Amino acid sequence: MAAVQVASSLPCGQSREAGRELSPERDDGFRRLSARLRALQPDDSTVSRMEIHLLFDQLISENYGEGGGVAPEDVSALLVRACQLVPLNQNHLVSKVSQLIHLLLNRLQVVVDEQNLDFLLTYTISAIQQCSSWTHMEILQALAALVYCNGSKCQKYLPDLLGKSGLLMKLSDSTHSDPEVRRAAVHCMANLCLSVPGQPYLEESYQNVCFQAFLTILQSPKSSDMDDITFCMLLQNALKGIQSLLNGGKMRMTQTEHLGALLAVLKKAMFHGLPGLNIEMPAVLYPTPLPQYDGRSPVRPQQPEPSAARPSVNKKKKHKVKPKKTQQGEKEEEEEESSGEVEAAPGLSTGRVNTCGENAWCSSPRGSQSLPVDGGRAAGREQVSWPFASSSWKRVSSSESDYSDSEGGMQGKMRSYQAKVRQGALACFLSTVKSIEKRVLYGYWSAFVPDTPELGSPQSLSLMTLTLKDPSPKTRACALQVLSAILEGSKQFLSVAEDTTDHKMAFTPFSVTIASSIRELHRCLLLALVAESSSQTLTQIIKCLANLVSNAPYNRLKLSLLTKVWNHIKPYIRHKDVNVRVSSLTLLGAIVSTHAPLPEVQLLLQQPCSSGLSSSNSATPHLSTPDCWKKAPAGPSLEEASSVSSPKASSEPCWLIRLCISTVVLPKEDSCSGSDASSAPGSTYEPSPMRLEALQVLAHLARGYFSMAQLYLMELGEVICKCMGEANPSIQLHGVKLLEELSTGLIQQYKPDSNVAPEQRVPVYMVVKFWTAMLNGPLPRALQNSEHPTLQASACDALSSILPEAFSSLPNDKQILCITMLLGLNDSKNHLVKAATSRALGVYVLFPCLRQDVIFVADTANAVLMSLRDKSLNVRAKAAWSLGNLTDTLIVNMDSPDPSFQDEFSGLLLLKMLQSAIQASADKDKVKSNAVRALGNLLHFLKPSHIERPGFAEIIEESIQTLISTVVNEAAMKVRWNACYAMGNVFKNPALPLGSAPWTSQAYKALTSVVMSCKNFKVRIRSAAALSIPSQRAQYGSLEQFAQIWNALVTALQKSEDTTDFLEFKYCASLRTHICQALVHLLSLASASDLPCILETLELNGEMIRSYILQFLKSGAEGDDPGAVHTPQERDQMVRVALKYIRRVQALPGDTAKRVIVAFLENILAVHCDSSGGQVALQISDLHM
């Protein structure tokens, strides 16, 4: 019997109970027939059987349309009643009731409830066991419909279905005589493997059984009794089953053998039926960094078909014949597939063929990474519904009349099924890529990604082979999507590539192999770009290029790769299809953001604006003169200011910035194609995705190539004002993001370590004009727009990125406006806004013009303390960071000649800040790291007048105990580093009783423990730096305490190279520098009683200490550590000061320690003097002072 065709499918996990309303007559027809069926009683008479036959025929032939308004419980009840009326010895009726189950569940999109499902499953399983073999095909179709999205409810039937002697295992075995039954059994197994979110999944043992069964089917050749189309459908169902297992999230390819076997069959299936190829694969692919050999033998097609290029067909001669008995969804799917198979793709033609017609497969306006989702349900029931191919997995009618003679008849039908196998293999491969770790996946890189072929060798088969040679645009798009998934996140793997120098070795280094693969990817993708005719596939090519560009290490590769991509993509910026235009801008954004700034990209940005941009398919505004768009109403005018900085049209510095500005603000010149659906009705501008992408490219340029963006500063300011004044929140948000990037670029120019010459910086007066325009424009409205908290938060971030030098020059009312809005927004109920506000206040409190304002600092402190109590961790983390900055400001004000700030700052507020910092030190690490930093600064800031006040003594003791416990506890290394740094700040306050207080020994014990044994060398360095801070001998405590510190530092010096972490080795020299500095500092403070302890260590480890101190004297600066002495002269002077001090110490009677230590230091200086020549010769007399 012919299988019943299903109109549509519903993705698993979605409710099918809210179906479309049936027309009254259809609804009445179903209810009338079901009422008649329910009224029947079981009767084995001929008349009764004929009546049941007639009712079944009427129910099957009823026109249910594309959905159902019938209640699911009514459908389930009808099917149960139908099965109750049909005894299992009536083969014809069993066959017909099976057809009815299959039809109703598919057409009406019903999932049977658990109680009725139990009855129906028991019935169908018994029917397979008892009925004649000719009925098995229809029964299995009914079973597949019942278990679809119901796998979690079938657990108790799995032994009967998937056990060692289970029905499905027997019927799917290769020894079964009926190929159609075998295919239907595999389809049932695939539907059982479908996962439903929130529902239990198959047990691992059954997963393995199904996986092995599917894998065996894919590995087995076509049997002689199976026709080609049935074999294709069998492969599709097996691929669907494996993909369902992988998508369920439960099955992981942990064994190399399993993964290698799967990848081998997927690679073979990827090329199934591709004209001109017959790939022979090993049973297992093994991971290897080298290209693998895969044997190929060309197959002579029945009719001559070019294999290197897709066939070119005259579109006018194509016509479609309507199928006789198919639903609308099936008709469209078949028309699309058959037309897609012969899609024209002329060699290097730049003409583009628009395939977004009545049933074309179109991607989303933003160009999502996934291909479209099928809306039909038959895909899930009868064939396979892939999440990224619209109708590739729908079952096409088996009627040969559905394929007209003009489309090749059986040959066209065969090509269609073969293409679906290739698409299914690629869909399964995509799921495999997403389910395994990247480091495992990249072991198979050479099996799927092309490499430059050796001279005279054929090109290896890869995903690019399909992209360049497959006649189906869907398959090409699927291959590109898989390649994009492989490239995504590959930056670390590709970073080893290097080909800047010519390697002439007996072997090819791995770095050169990867570089060769990257070059070949560029070459093949650019070939595909110029040859592609399908707009949707073209979009995937450009996205794939963008992924490649984002991850390739161009700073380690030869020049010209980006130049070729740049020149090829330019014409597509004006492509008629909006998705192509958007993805083209995405690619340009990837180019300007990868390893920025690159000299090659810098030159490309300076190319003439007219180079390669002309296109007959233009749908975007042409590049205009710089200021012409300002004639249209566009918010606050910056005409006067922009005349200072905007470039003239005759000497356009950057065509890409001009293009993006035009895309954002200029109306489109002509109506866009039908695919521009994302454009708002009646809108005169480019569609939103295009404008958003243009704004993102501008942000990338501001971040990576600010020297070029600064030439357009005032004009970009007006663009930002225009965007923030629009109604679309996304446009507003991207405008604010651009403002933040521009402001950050300005700040970078004025940093002390900036390599930008002062004359090349944007003048401060220009920055003031820029920000005055922002604050006069829509920025304050964006800050107060409580309906869009994300916009508010981004506006806060932008406001915090104002240049401090410019802020101090702003009019007084604008400064007050900024401060008032930030302090007001700190009361926001939205955690995003509150976090951004807390961070902004932490930036402002460091501004030179504000940090001495006691009232502002106090207001900021109160706001930050309130945020530290917020429920949101992100808010508390930002508040703790701001508290740390605020306490940094307190320390800076201590050095001010004017002591009024320290006198006027509230002692009560200091007490609150200490209490809040102690509480925050018990929070998560994100909060704790800055809380301990703030504690150290606050304890440093305290004056004797504070310490003497009631309540301070207990808080100080608790604060120091908090720091000590944080230093020694196994917290995050960043937290411990900050705690050691804070302890050093505590030691700087002479008002604290360091040396006499009970906590002194605990503090030193914690620091010496860390400097000797902490795994992280940066924490050790900070601990050694803290130990060298006390400026008086009394602060080091007792004789035993001093000896403990000295011995700990010597031990730390011995262990300064003991680490198992390779990353820590780069800090060894810096650690030794700080330890030597601490040892010399202790020598310069030692008393006569301390010298015997020092002598003892010199006798044991004198040579080791001597060699490291000589290194300390000879070496230059070790990084940017604030506690390190950076010049050799300063280090030399430190040792000389220690020597002078030891000479002046009054030695104890009979003690020889002083003489030995003096000789030790003199020897070090003498050796250093000899090695450094005349640089210290002038000071050699100091040795004898």
Side-chain angles (χ1 to χ4, degrees):
M1 291 187 182
V4 179
Q5 181 60 32
V6 181
S8 59
S9 88
L10 190 71
C12 187
Q14 294 183 12
S15 172
R16 284 172 282 188
E17 299 179 6
R20 301 177 186 87
E21 289 296 331
L22 284 174
S23 61
E25 57 272 18
R26 291 177 183 171
D27 190 22
D28 290 345
F30 174 83
R31 297 187 187 284
R32 175 174 46 81
L33 293 171
S34 60
R36 287 176 55 192
L37 186 68
R38 287 195 298 270
L40 293 176
Q41 297 299 321
D43 188 353
D44 200 26
S45 66
T46 304
V47 174
S48 177
R49 287 199 301 271
M50 288 182 62
E51 188 173 359
I52 293 173
H53 265 294
L54 180 61
L55 274 174
F56 284 174
D57 287 338
Q58 289 176 318
L59 282 166
I60 290 172
S61 61
E62 185 74 21
N63 185 5
Y64 297 103
E66 294 186 0
V70 182
E73 56 270 20
D74 292 343
V75 176
S76 300
L78 180 141
L79 294 177
V80 169
R81 184 58 181 166
C83 293
Q84 290 171 344
L85 292 172
V86 177
L88 294 179
N89 59 357
Q90 298 293 328
N91 287 328
H92 286 280
L93 280 176
V94 169
S95 173
K96 196 158 288 187
V97 79
S98 299
Q99 293 180 47
L100 182 63
I101 293 171
H102 179 231
L103 173 91
L104 290 181
L105 294 184
N106 278 281
R107 289 286 176 85
L108 299 179
Q109 301 181 357
V110 170
V111 175
V112 181
D113 61 275
E114 191 165 358
Q115 181 179 354
N116 289 322
L117 180 67
D118 285 342
F119 176 84
L120 293 171
L121 283 177
T122 303
Y123 182 86
T124 50
I125 291 172
S126 301
I128 294 175
Q129 293 170 335
Q130 299 179 31
C131 294
S132 301
S133 59
W134 67 266
T135 64
H136 288 177
M137 178 65 184
E138 283 75 19
I139 300 173
L140 286 170
Q141 285 182 336
L143 180 61
L146 287 168
V147 301
Y148 180 76
C149 285
N150 264 327
S152 60
K153 302 172 186 175
C154 303
Q155 299 290 338
K156 64 182 179 182
Y157 299 98
L158 294 181
D160 293 333
L161 297 173
L162 300 177
K164 289 185 178 180
S165 57
L167 291 175
L168 296 181
M169 302 308 296
K170 289 181 180 178
L171 297 176
S172 63
D173 192 80
S174 58
T175 58
H176 196 275
S177 58
D178 190 338
E180 281 290 342
V181 170
R182 184 184 174 203
R183 183 202 61 75
V186 174
H187 183 210
C188 287
M189 291 172 63
N191 279 4
L192 269 173
C193 294
L194 280 170
S195 62
V196 179
Q199 296 294 328
Y201 199 58
L202 286 180
E203 295 177 10
E204 187 175 354
S205 59
Y206 291 119
Q207 291 183 46
N208 293 331
V209 165
C210 292
F211 176 79
Q212 199 56 52
F214 296 141
L215 193 63
T216 302
I217 289 167
L218 294 171
Q219 290 172 332
S220 303
K222 182 175 74 71
S223 58
S224 57
D225 60 341
M226 184 178 291
D227 63 81
D228 289 336
I229 289 180
T230 303
F231 182 59
C232 286
M233 296 166 71
L234 178 67
L235 294 179
Q236 289 178 64
N237 286 321
L239 289 166
K240 169 200 170 182
I242 292 180
Q243 190 189 15
S244 296
L245 288 171
L246 294 170
N247 287 347
K250 301 292 182 182
M251 187 168 190
R252 297 295 178 189
M253 297 285 105
T254 53
Q255 297 183 21
T256 304
E257 292 287 333
H258 283 177
L259 179 59
L262 175 60
L263 293 177
V265 296
L266 289 180
K267 184 167 184 180
K268 184 174 182 180
M270 278 163 43
F271 297 98
H272 181 79
L274 191 65
L277 292 177
N278 181 20
I279 182 172
E280 296 296 333
M281 287 297 299
V284 178
L285 285 178
Y286 291 99
T288 170
L290 301 176
Q292 289 178 289
Y293 173 77
D294 44 9
R296 306 182 282 166
S297 58
V299 175
R300 180 175 299 174
Q302 296 178 4
Q303 294 183 359
E305 290 181 349
S307 61
R310 297 184 287 277
S312 178
V313 177
N314 186 346
K315 296 282 182 178
K316 293 182 180 179
K317 292 184 180 180
K318 284 202 290 185
H319 63 277
K320 305 175 179 67
V321 177
K322 293 184 179 180
K324 292 181 179 180
K325 293 183 179 180
T326 57
Q327 301 295 328
Q328 182 181 359
E330 299 158 7
K331 176 186 70 176
E332 290 182 355
E333 173 244 326
E334 291 167 12
E335 290 173 355
E336 177 188 5
E337 185 65 40
S338 57
S339 63
E341 293 299 326
V342 289
E343 185 79 44
L348 299 179
S349 169
T350 56
R352 295 292 175 263
V353 181
N354 181 16
T355 58
C356 274
E358 55 179 333
N359 52 26
W361 166 82
C362 293
S363 55
S364 66
R366 290 290 294 162
S368 62
Q369 285 295 325
S370 61
L371 304 178
V373 177
D374 185 6
R377 184 169 185 268
R381 293 300 180 97
E382 185 52 40
Q383 284 301 336
V384 184
S385 177
W386 297 107
F388 78 141
S390 66
S391 57
S392 344
W393 293 99
K394 285 184 183 177
R395 179 175 181 182
V396 191
S397 170
S398 59
S399 171
E400 294 180 12
S401 63
D402 292 342
Y403 291 85
S404 64
D405 292 337
S406 64
E407 293 172 332
M410 282 300 296
Q411 189 176 3
K413 181 179 179 181
M414 187 66 234
R415 283 200 302 268
S416 172
Y417 275 90
Q418 289 171 339
K420 290 176 183 177
V421 173
R422 297 196 295 273
Q423 292 158 21
L426 290 166
C428 193
F429 189 14
L430 181 63
S431 295
T432 307
V433 168
K434 292 179 178 179
S435 66
I436 59 177
E437 295 182 24
K438 290 287 187 180
R439 61 182 180 84
V440 176
L441 172 68
Y442 293 141
Y444 301 91
W445 174 273
S446 58
F448 297 97
V449 180
D451 189 11
T452 305
E454 296 181 6
L455 191 62
S457 302
Q459 176 72 55
S460 61
L461 292 179
S462 67
L463 290 165
M464 287 311 307
T465 309
L466 292 171
T467 303
L468 291 168
K469 297 186 177 182
D470 199 292
S472 166
K474 276 188 188 178
T475 311
R476 301 196 296 271
C478 291
L480 287 161
Q481 188 180 357
V482 175
L483 182 57
S484 285
I486 293 174
L487 289 172
E488 189 175 354
S490 62
K491 183 172 289 187
Q492 183 177 359
F493 172 72
L494 297 181
S495 64
V496 302
E498 198 271 328
D499 71 345
T500 52
T501 58
D502 292 328
H503 295 270
K504 296 181 180 179
M505 303 181 186
F507 66 95
T508 303
F510 181 65
S511 60
V512 176
T513 301
I514 297 300
S516 172
S517 183
I518 292 173
R519 283 198 308 272
E520 185 66 7
L521 275 173
H522 280 81
R523 187 187 72 85
C524 293
L525 285 170
L526 292 179
L527 279 177
L529 183 72
V530 297
E532 187 56 63
S533 57
S534 164
S535 295
Q536 293 73 42
T537 310
L538 197 58
T539 302
Q540 291 294 334
I541 294 172
I542 299 172
K543 287 180 188 174
C544 196
L545 272 169
N547 254 334
L548 175 59
V549 167
S550 297
N551 291 282
Y554 293 99
N555 54 334
R556 296 168 57 90
L557 302 174
K558 289 180 181 177
L559 298 178
S560 80
L561 285 179
L562 285 175
T563 302
K564 291 176 182 176
V565 175
W566 186 276
N567 292 332
H568 274 80
I569 201 60
K570 270 188 174 182
Y572 296 93
I573 298 170
R574 298 194 178 283
H575 195 275
K576 200 169 185 180
D577 187 278
V578 67
N579 297 317
V580 176
R581 300 203 302 276
V582 170
S583 56
S584 299
L585 276 178
T586 303
L587 176 54
L588 288 172
I591 292 174
V592 298
S593 61
T594 184
H595 298 282
L598 286 175
E600 183 180 1
V601 176
Q602 191 90 28
L603 292 173
L604 292 172
L605 289 169
Q606 295 169 356
Q607 283 182 348
C609 63
S610 59
S611 173
L613 283 177
S614 59
S615 172
S616 59
N617 286 330
S618 174
T620 58
H622 292 292
L623 295 183
S624 57
T625 55
D627 300 324
C628 71
W629 63 272
K630 297 177 186 175
K631 297 174 183 178
S637 174
L638 297 179
E639 291 288 348
E640 181 182 352
S642 63
S643 64
V644 181
S645 69
S646 292
K648 301 301 179 184
S650 58
S651 58
E652 189 72 58
C654 181
W655 68 269
L656 183 55
I657 292 180
R658 172 60 52 213
L659 170 75
C660 291
I661 291 175
S662 301
T663 302
V664 173
V665 300
L666 284 184
K668 54 192 175 186
E669 290 191 344
D670 50 15
S671 58
C672 295
S673 65
S675 60
D676 286 4
S678 57
S679 179
S683 172
T684 60
Y685 296 107
E686 279 289 302
S688 289
M690 189 75 180
R691 300 177 72 203
L692 293 173
E693 203 63 49
L695 286 168
Q696 288 192 42
V697 174
L698 288 173
H700 290 318
L701 285 164
R703 186 184 305 122
Y705 299 87
F706 185 77
S707 60
M708 199 156 286
Q710 73 180 62
L711 301 174
Y712 296 80
L713 181 64
M714 303 310 296
E715 192 172 354
L716 288 172
E718 194 153 346
V719 171
I720 291 166
C721 287
K722 178 176 177 59
C723 290
M724 286 194 292
E726 293 197 15
N728 187 335
S730 296
I731 298 289
Q732 290 178 307
L733 181 62
H734 281 73
V736 172
K737 293 288 187 185
L738 176 57
L739 171 60
E740 184 180 357
E741 292 294 348
L742 287 170
S743 303
T744 303
L746 290 167
I747 292 174
Q748 296 296 328
Q749 280 194 340
Y750 279 85
K751 280 191 172 180
D753 58 349
S754 172
N755 55 6
V756 180
E759 63 273 11
Q760 294 178 340
R761 298 173 182 172
V762 178
V764 172
Y765 79 89
M766 185 74 68
V767 183
V768 172
K769 287 183 178 179
F770 176 82
W771 271 103
T772 302
M774 294 298 107
L775 294 170
N776 285 332
L779 182 58
R781 290 201 301 274
L783 284 163
Q784 296 170 339
N785 189 350
S786 57
E787 293 182 2
H788 299 287
T790 305
L791 178 63
Q792 275 185 297
S794 295
C796 284
D797 290 336
L799 197 62
S800 69
S801 59
I802 187 171
L803 184 69
E805 292 86 342
F807 184 86
S808 60
S809 300
L810 281 174
N812 192 49
D813 62 323
K814 300 303 178 190
Q815 293 186 21
I816 295 174
L817 174 66
C818 294
I819 295 170
T820 304
M821 285 194 296
L822 289 178
L823 289 172
L825 285 172
N826 195 69
D827 294 327
S828 173
K829 301 300 181 184
N830 185 278
H831 66 91
L832 289 175
V833 178
K834 198 164 187 176
T837 304
S838 295
R839 180 189 172 277
L841 288 170
V843 173
Y844 273 42
V845 81
L846 295 175
F847 284 3
C849 63
L850 293 176
R851 66 187 177 206
Q852 290 187 332
D853 185 337
V854 178
I855 296 176
F856 171 72
V857 174
D859 287 343
T860 300
N862 285 312
V864 167
L865 294 182
M866 183 178 70
S867 295
L868 270 176
R869 299 191 295 270
D870 196 86
K871 294 180 180 179
S872 167
L873 174 61
N874 189 38
V875 173
R876 298 198 304 275
K878 299 293 185 186
W881 180 83
S882 294
L883 181 61
N885 283 6
L886 190 148
T887 55
D888 287 342
T889 290
L890 299 182
I891 302 303
V892 171
N893 286 331
M894 287 177 65
D895 300 329
S896 172
D898 183 6
S900 61
F901 181 91
Q902 203 168 1
D903 294 334
E904 295 174 11
F905 197 79
S906 168
L908 182 59
L909 183 56
L910 272 177
L911 194 64
K912 289 181 179 178
M913 291 168 70
L914 280 167
Q915 291 170 336
S916 294
I918 292 170
Q919 292 173 1
S921 298
D923 206 329
K924 302 290 185 182
D925 286 347
K926 286 183 178 181
V927 181
K928 187 186 297 185
S929 60
N930 284 298
V932 295
R933 168 185 155 215
L935 273 178
N937 284 334
L938 289 168
L939 291 170
H940 182 193
F941 181 76
L942 293 177
K943 296 174 62 177
S945 58
H946 295 135
I947 298 173
E948 295 167 0
R949 293 185 184 181
F952 265 88
E954 294 81 3
I955 289 296
I956 292 171
E957 174 74 23
E958 188 178 355
S959 300
I960 293 175
Q961 291 298 335
T962 298
L963 290 179
I964 292 170
S965 63
T966 307
V967 168
V968 297
N969 286 345
E970 292 296 326
M973 293 306 168
K974 182 179 179 181
V975 176
R976 299 181 74 184
W977 188 97
N978 275 328
C980 291
Y981 184 83
M983 194 65 75
N985 274 333
V986 173
F987 292 169
K988 291 178 183 178
N989 191 344
L992 294 174
L994 178 62
S996 59
W999 50 262
T1000 301
S1001 60
Q1002 295 174 298
Y1004 284 130
K1005 184 178 180 181
L1007 291 172
T1008 52
S1009 172
V1010 167
V1011 80
M1012 289 189 295
S1013 60
C1014 184
K1015 295 179 181 179
N1016 186 283
F1017 275 28
K1018 293 176 77 173
V1019 177
R1020 287 198 204 184
I1021 291 168
R1022 189 45 48 205
S1023 176
L1027 289 170
S1028 65
I1029 286 175
S1031 58
Q1032 299 176 17
R1033 169 62 186 86
Q1035 291 179 320
Y1036 282 102
S1038 65
L1039 176 65
E1040 293 77 12
Q1041 184 72 61
F1042 186 92
Q1044 180 189 357
I1045 297 170
W1046 175 268
N1047 290 330
L1049 288 169
V1050 172
T1051 304
L1053 196 59
Q1054 284 179 305
K1055 296 181 176 181
S1056 59
E1057 293 185 359
D1058 295 349
T1059 178
T1060 56
D1061 189 349
F1062 177 76
L1063 296 176
E1064 297 297 330
F1065 276 110
K1066 61 183 177 181
Y1067 301 113
C1068 287
S1070 181
L1071 174 60
R1072 288 192 292 269
T1073 295
H1074 282 82
I1075 294 175
C1076 288
Q1077 182 178 327
L1079 288 171
V1080 174
H1081 177 71
L1082 287 174
L1083 281 172
S1084 67
L1085 296 177
S1087 66
S1089 303
D1090 298 322
L1091 297 184
C1093 166
I1094 296 173
L1095 175 61
E1096 184 180 347
T1097 56
L1098 290 180
E1099 289 174 348
L1100 293 173
N1101 302 291
E1103 191 57 36
M1104 180 269 296
I1105 298 172
R1106 177 177 172 275
S1107 65
Y1108 282 134
I1109 292 181
L1110 281 172
Q1111 288 182 24
F1112 166 70
L1113 290 171
K1114 293 175 184 176
S1115 60
E1118 300 290 349
D1120 299 322
D1121 299 305
V1125 177
H1126 288 295
T1127 66
Q1129 291 78 15
E1130 289 175 320
R1131 299 180 185 197
D1132 180 83
Q1133 189 61 33
M1134 276 188 68
V1135 178
R1136 292 179 186 281
V1137 168
L1139 177 58
K1140 288 180 185 179
Y1141 176 81
I1142 295 294
R1143 279 184 176 150
R1144 295 187 182 126
V1145 171
Q1146 294 294 325
L1148 299 174
D1151 187 7
T1152 60
K1154 174 182 174 180
R1155 179 175 53 80
V1156 176
I1157 295 170
V1158 167
F1160 178 78
L1161 293 175
E1162 286 177 344
N1163 176 263
I1164 288 174
L1165 287 170
V1167 173
H1168 178 57
C1169 177
D1170 291 341
S1171 63
S1172 57
Q1175 292 182 4
V1176 293
L1178 295 175
Q1179 301 180 23
I1180 194 66
S1181 59
D1182 292 344
L1183 293 173
H1184 307 290
M1185 289 179 61

